[in-house]
């Protein structure tokens, strides 16, 4: 009777390393794919540092004296004026840190950019929820039933009407950018263009929310970091995008 010879194993390694599946996500979304609910310490450190910088150099800046005020900073941190005042000021700092770090996620030499993108989107969600709770119905976030008048207000000869129209446009820009960022972070979309669009819309929201009817930006000096960072991030991200390179 013929003896059967076992077929040799073509793979001599008894514990082969699984072949990595190709990552179909581009840009920052690719990094997010490997972060199921985790928080990268480096990204958290970057965001925490930026937030602390805004609290120290933005929140503490007095528009009246045109300089940093320790008293004003302590009023916010120690809730010496009111809880409402502290929450409003911290909400501003969180929004600026979120936009700045969203831009940093598209800048070179920044660690853990995917996780930083995710943290930034989360902070902007917090900012948006609080802002709707606090400001819905006033000049910052007009009632939704008044939005059909936006185009008429933007083209109005009255400065007060134009100012209201600009705020409505700002709300639309911010909501669109945030929704794109959420979709990217949750994996519903995975293109680098979507991330750059989210950053651009977020920047346009910030700018249009802070300008007057003459489109003059009136913010405390350190807030100009939230202007410079998105410009750098968009330029760097766009350059890589057109070269066919992901972040």
């Amino acid at each position: 009777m013929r003896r059967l010879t076992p077929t040799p194993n073509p793979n001599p390694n008894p514990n082969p390393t699984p072949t990595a599946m190709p990552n179909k996500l581009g840009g920052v979304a690719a990094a997010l794919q490997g972060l199921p609910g985790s928080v990268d310490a480096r990204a958290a450190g970057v965001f925490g540092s930026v937030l602390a910088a805004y609290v120290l150099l933005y929140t503490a800046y007095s528009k009246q004296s045109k300089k940093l005020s320790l008293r004003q900073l302590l009023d916010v941190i120690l809730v010496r004026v009111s809880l409402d005042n502290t929450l409003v000021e911290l909400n501003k700092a969180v929004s600026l840190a979120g936009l700045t770090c969203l831009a940093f996620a598209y800048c070179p030499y920044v660690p853990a950019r995917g996780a930083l993108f995710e943290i930034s989107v989360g902070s902007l969600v917090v900012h948006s929820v609080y802002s709707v709770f606090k400001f819905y119905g006033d000049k910052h976030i007009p009632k939704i039933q008044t939005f059909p008048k936006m185009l008429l207000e933007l083209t109005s000869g009255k400065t007060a009407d134009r100012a209201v129209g600009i705020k409505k446009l700002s709300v639309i820009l911010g909501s669109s950018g945030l929704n794109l960022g959420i979709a990217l972070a949750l994996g519903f979309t995975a293109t680098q263009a979507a991330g750059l669009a989210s950053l651009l819309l977020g920047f346009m929201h910030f700018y249009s929310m802070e300008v007057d009817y003459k489109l003059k930006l009136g913010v405390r000096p350190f807030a100009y970091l939230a202007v410079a960072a998105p410009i750098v991030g968009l330029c760097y991200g766009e350059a890589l995008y057109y070269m066919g390179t992901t972040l």
Side-chain angles (χ1 to χ4, degrees), residues 17-174:
T17 302
T19 302
M21 293 297 292
N23 196 334
K24 297 181 180 180
L25 299 182
V28 173
L32 291 179
Q33 190 183 42
L35 294 169
S38 64
V39 176
D40 190 291
R42 295 172 300 166
V46 171
F47 182 84
S49 299
V50 172
L51 178 59
Y54 273 113
V55 172
L56 293 174
L57 300 175
Y58 172 85
T59 304
Y61 184 84
S62 171
K63 291 184 177 180
Q64 288 72 35
S65 64
K66 305 296 183 183
K67 61 182 181 181
L68 295 176
S69 168
L70 178 60
R71 179 179 179 179
Q72 180 168 300
L73 177 62
L74 293 177
D75 284 346
V76 172
I77 295 176
L78 301 179
V79 199
R80 297 197 304 201
V81 175
S82 67
L83 178 61
D84 182 68
N85 175 71
T86 293
L87 291 176
V88 167
E89 290 297 326
L90 292 180
N91 183 52
K92 293 177 182 178
V94 167
S95 69
L96 290 168
L99 176 59
T100 302
C101 288
L102 192 70
F104 283 174
Y106 283 93
C107 291
Y109 310 115
V110 176
R113 287 182 287 175
L116 184 60
F117 183 93
E118 188 176 49
I119 293 173
S120 301
V121 170
S123 70
L124 292 173
V125 169
V126 172
H127 159 68
S128 299
V129 170
Y130 175 79
S131 296
V132 170
F133 174 78
K134 172 66 180 176
F135 299 113
Y136 181 75
D138 72 2
K139 63 179 183 179
H140 296 92
I141 307 180
K143 291 184 178 180
I144 194 169
Q145 57 265 35
T146 67
F147 273 63
K149 301 177 182 178
M150 183 183 70
L151 292 178
L152 292 176
E153 291 165 342
L154 288 172
T155 56
S156 172
K158 297 181 180 179
T159 57
D161 288 344
R162 287 204 304 274
V164 173
I166 290 172
K167 291 297 181 288
K168 291 177 181 178
L169 177 61
S170 178
V171 171
I172 293 173
L173 292 170

Side-chain angles (χ1 to χ4, degrees), residues 226-238:
V227 175
I231 292 174
V232 174
L234 286 167
C235 290
Y236 184 72
E238 283 290 333

